[in-house]
Amino acid sequence: MLIAGKARLVGEIEVSSSKNAILPILASSLLSDENKTILNVPDIRDVTVITELIRHLGVKADYKDGSLHFSGGATGQTPPYELVRLIRASFLVMGPLLATKGAVRVSLPGGCAIGTRPIDLHLKGFEALGARISLTRGDVVAKAPRLYGNHVYLDFPSVGATENIMMAATLAEGTTYIENAALEPEIVDLANFMNSMGARITGAGSNVIKIEGVKKLHSTVYTPIPDRIEAGTYMVAAAATAGDVLIKNVIPEHLKAVTAKLLESNAVVEEQDDHIRVYRQQDIKPVYIKTLPYPGFPTDMQAQFMAYLSLGRGSSVITESVFENRFMHVAELLRMGAKIKTEGRTAVIKGCRELTGARVRATDLRAGAALMIAGLMARGPTIIMNSEHIDRGYENIVAKLNGLGANIQPS
Ligand code: UD1
């Protein structure tokens, strides 16, 4: 990807549906043999991969004009390794397959290279519901002729573990309580989707989720929530380029932490029902950020803010508390002239006068988005290698940003 250089982003932009809501929603569609239609599905690589994976399990999947239609139930229990290794979220099929097939075998997941990202909490949950877990040649095998409701306490409010356990418990006998559950809006969306198929889930969005097992789930038509991370990325891009952008199809409530930090940094953020306008006329004021589970500041927005704050008037501090190794973008921002020092999980960003375009590498999805923002703030062209990471989670990002005045050529 080639970014020609500095651009002031001005205009309107529409946010797609949430990648992190859709991935578990698609996985949970395996819980029913009946027809399911998901509307407003973005054309992004992670969605393509998980759809392909579901097809491999025997479900008929048709994607047309942004709608994904599933018919029939899964016949297989083992998603193929070539697909699983591409995307960590593929592990989310484990809960639904365990619930419907009584057994599942999945190779250890891939996806973004941000830390070791274990799956112990998912497995702990399955065990609490009565599954037997074993590791066979790098594959995780879970078996349970029947799942039974139970109390599951999560040591950390893991998003994926909450989702996987919620899905498995939906068809279990009896009631499950997930304690210290993740509060992310995507969890609420997944619960709403499953409830629309007849599941009985209450408390999603709070730290105790109650799932009363039901015998069977039925057909549904569902529209997922807008992508708060995509919206947040465009909000930061607007502020970073001293632009003025109206971002449409957002739920402002989901973006409170991002909005708060943009306001602290001297940007103006105006919320209007389902859109947000962001502009900036003053210098970037340094801010302190600590990533946390929702409703704290999202780790998925950390890299983008680091790019933005690299032109701050003073030193900002970012502490990454969710993942242990999520500063890969630092080395790339340094190539562009940013002044950043890291120690453990903390980065100090000393604002500099100017960034200069360079040849950089996208190491993961959000790091790639951060480099795009840096490229739009920099003097001279920036080449982003491995920009395919960005296509995993941003629908038409090049066209969307070019529509606001950027000059970007895809690779
Ligand atoms: C999801 C999001 C990802 C986001 C992350 C945190 C999707 C598809 N991905 O990822 O974009 O960055 O939430 O908001 O929704 N952990 C364990 N054991 C486990 C599970 C997790 O120790 O069994 C740790 C992880 O290593 C990590 C932390 O918990 O340090 C958060 O992980 P988790 O909330 O599970 O993130 P994901 O569901 O993988």
Side-chain angles (χ1 to χ4, degrees):
M1 177 184 292
L2 171 67
I3 302 177
K6 256 186 211 159
R8 180 167 179 263
L9 301 182
V10 178
E12 292 185 7
I13 195 166
E14 177 108 10
V15 170
S16 303
S17 295
S18 164
K19 166 179 93 72
N20 286 354
I22 290 174
L23 297 178
I25 283 175
L26 298 191
S28 75
S29 71
L30 290 166
L31 287 164
S32 159
D33 293 353
E34 295 187 15
N35 292 348
K36 284 119 335 195
T37 301
I38 327 291
L39 306 173
N40 288 358
V41 176
D43 186 8
I44 52 177
R45 203 168 59 97
D46 275 12
V47 168
T48 314
V49 171
I50 200 123
T51 305
E52 201 46 42
L53 193 151
I54 290 169
R55 266 198 200 107
H56 264 86
L57 292 169
V59 177
K60 190 166 177 298
D62 293 313
Y63 182 66
K64 205 173 159 214
D65 301 329
S67 295
L68 189 51
H69 182 74
F70 288 119
S71 47
T75 45
Q77 303 168 338
T78 309
Y81 173 72
E82 316 80 74
L83 294 171
V84 172
R85 74 180 176 83
L86 293 178
I87 165 175
R88 181 180 159 81
S90 49
F91 204 74
L92 292 172
V93 300
M94 198 163 186
L97 288 177
L98 185 59
T100 51
K101 301 278 150 209
V104 54
R105 178 173 180 154
V106 183
S107 39
L108 285 167
C112 279
I114 45 175
T116 49
R117 301 182 88 173
I119 48 162
D120 53 315
L121 298 173
H122 303 234
L123 302 181
K124 183 181 159 185
F126 296 149
E127 270 179 336
L129 301 183
R132 270 185 300 113
I133 311 286
S134 57
L135 195 67
T136 311
R137 292 210 229 133
D139 292 352
V140 183
V141 181
K143 285 188 182 156
R146 191 87 187 90
L147 292 171
Y148 297 95
N150 201 348
H151 285 256
V152 181
Y153 172 78
L154 297 180
D155 300 313
F156 180 88
S158 152
V159 174
T162 303
E163 293 167 344
N164 230 339
I165 298 163
M166 225 162 81
M167 293 188 279
T170 302
L171 296 178
E173 198 176 311
T175 302
T176 299
Y177 295 86
I178 306 177
E179 289 149 6
N180 197 27
L183 310 179
E184 268 71 1
E186 293 76 16
I187 305 279
V188 178
D189 210 36
L190 173 63
N192 288 341
F193 173 73
M194 290 199 289
N195 284 343
S196 79
M197 289 198 291
R200 298 189 60 184
I201 304 171
T202 50
S206 79
N207 53 13
V208 181
I209 302 178
K210 179 180 175 190
I211 305 121
E212 290 172 75
V214 296
K215 290 225 153 26
K216 190 174 177 319
L217 297 184
H218 53 70
S219 66
T220 187
V221 178
Y222 193 81
T223 305
I225 53 170
D227 196 312
R228 64 193 167 99
I229 305 301
E230 186 194 4
T233 301
Y234 295 137
M235 289 167 74
V236 174
T241 60
D244 187 345
V245 180
L246 185 69
I247 300 147
K248 292 157 76 173
N249 189 34
V250 296
I251 299 175
E253 175 72 23
H254 293 169
L255 284 149
K256 289 284 178 212
V258 169
T259 298
K261 290 298 155 185
L262 282 175
L263 289 173
E264 275 179 37
S265 75
N266 262 348
V268 181
V269 182
E270 292 173 0
E271 297 176 0
Q272 309 151 358
D273 303 330
D274 68 344
H275 29 272
I276 293 186
R277 178 184 169 202
V278 179
Y279 61 96
R280 180 175 64 81
Q281 289 162 340
Q282 293 174 300
D283 284 346
I284 302 168
K285 216 166 104 188
V287 296
Y288 171 80
I289 290 174
K290 182 175 185 181
T291 66
L292 288 168
Y294 190 84
F297 185 92
T299 171
D300 285 350
M301 285 301 303
Q302 182 255 104
Q304 300 90 314
F305 260 81
M306 196 178 293
Y308 168 49
L309 295 172
S310 65
L311 289 189
R313 291 282 171 266
S315 293
S316 298
V317 178
I318 297 185
T319 300
E320 172 57 62
S321 85
V322 177
F323 289 107
E324 81 273 19
N325 180 19
R326 203 174 192 178
F327 280 151
M328 264 98 69
H329 43 282
V330 171
E332 308 304 313
L333 291 172
L334 292 179
R335 289 174 196 275
M336 301 179 71
K339 295 198 163 48
I340 305 169
K341 282 216 162 90
T342 57
E343 195 175 319
R345 289 179 169 214
T346 296
V348 177
I349 304 109
K350 192 169 165 219
C352 61
R353 281 265 149 217
E354 191 173 61
L355 293 179
T356 43
R359 181 183 281 263
V360 290
R361 185 178 297 280
T363 48
D364 62 72
L365 167 59
R366 308 302 171 188
L371 294 174
M372 288 187 81
I373 292 172
L376 293 170
M377 300 165 83
R379 183 171 48 83
T382 293
I383 296 171
I384 305 181
M385 290 176 293
N386 293 114
S387 62
E388 67 278 1
H389 280 296
I390 304 169
D391 303 328
R392 285 190 36 215
Y394 291 92
E395 186 177 41
N396 291 333
I397 189 165
V398 170
K400 284 184 183 181
L401 290 174
N402 284 346
L404 297 175
N407 182 348
I408 307 172
Q409 283 170 35
S411 35

